[in-house]
Structures are given as C-alpha cells and as structure tokens.
Amino acid sequence: MSKSRVKTMLIVFFDKRGLNHKEFVPQGKTVNAEFYKEVLRRLHKAVKRKRQDLAQRWRLHHDNAPAHKLLPQPPYSPDMSPPDFFLFPKVKRCLKGHRFDDIPNIQRAVTKALTGITPTDYSGAYEA
C-alpha cells in the first residue's frame, strides 16, 4: 500500500544579497490575485526591514510567465530564471533522499536548505 505524496507550495523572493522573503502557501489555498497582493505586501514589509538601503527604490522582477508580464522580456528560458537554475536545484539537493510525512517537516527542511545558501551563492546567481 503506497502513501499519498505530501506537497506544499513555496513562494520565495531573493536578490544578490540573499533571501528577502519566503512563505508557504497554506494547504488548500488558491493563489489568486487577492492572495498574491497580500504576499506582495508582506514582501514589501520584509524588504523595508531587511534591505533598508533599498526600501525606497527596489524593483520586483517576475519571471516571464504570462501572468507576470509587465514589460517586454526575452522568451522564457530556465537559464534566464535564477529560481529555476540556481535556487530550486540547491534546495532539491538538500531534500534528495528524504521522505516527509507531513507539511511542517517539509517546511522546516526547506527553510533549513534556504538558510544554508550563502550570500556569495546568491550573488553568483546573477553573474553571467
């Protein structure tokens, strides 16, 4: 008898100096415009708290997903998306081989993996 897979969704924002904000989407919650506006409000507060030098002039760059298009961008490519080629592979390597029985354990492991990424690693994600 096989167990069903336990899943959770992560929303994460980072820059070349490190992690700015992360949050896990509550189980069963739909990520719609109203929910995402609240996420962005919490992100803004986190930037004001963690990056005071940027708080008045920071900009958010979304990937090239259709719902995120505000400005023309090159066609979508995973090698142009730091979460896809940098962040998620690092987190996956830390989780590889582990099985989790519940969402709090997944969230603790992911948080630990994110915390283990150094500022130098984040900075390197933006170098050509």
Side-chain angles (χ1 to χ4, degrees):
M1 191 163 125
S2 66
K3 292 173 97 174
S4 62
R5 297 180 92 182
V6 179
K7 297 179 182 180
T8 187
M9 182 186 292
L10 170 68
I11 298 175
V12 62
F13 301 91
F14 64 95
D15 62 21
K16 69 180 185 175
R17 289 176 37 201
L19 186 66
N20 291 316
H21 180 68
K22 66 125 175 77
E23 59 183 85
F24 295 94
V25 177
Q27 190 75 11
K29 181 72 174 171
T30 301
V31 178
N32 56 21
E34 182 179 324
F35 176 80
Y36 201 64
K37 278 175 42 178
E38 292 302 316
V39 170
L40 293 176
R41 282 190 185 107
R42 290 187 289 273
L43 167 64
H44 188 246
K45 287 180 184 178
V47 168
K48 285 169 66 173
R49 188 176 69 254
K50 294 178 181 181
R51 303 283 194 266
Q52 293 175 358
D53 58 318
L54 298 177
Q56 299 303 317
R57 59 185 176 86
W58 69 283
R59 300 289 182 262
L60 176 63
H61 179 260
H62 277 273
D63 59 26
N64 206 23
H68 302 158
K69 287 185 181 178
L70 300 175
L71 302 170
Q73 299 180 38
Y76 177 77
S77 173
D79 63 336
M80 296 181 72
S81 174
D84 291 340
F85 74 81
F86 160 72
L87 187 69
F88 297 142
K90 283 192 173 293
V91 171
K92 286 179 183 179
R93 276 193 295 277
C94 291
L95 303 180
K96 187 176 183 177
H98 297 277
R99 298 263 184 224
F100 301 98
D101 293 329
D102 59 28
I103 290 175
N105 284 330
I106 295 170
Q107 292 174 342
R108 278 190 288 278
V110 169
T111 299
K112 183 178 178 182
L114 288 169
T115 315
I117 301 172
T118 68
T120 302
D121 289 336
Y122 280 105
S123 180
Y126 292 95
E127 294 176 7

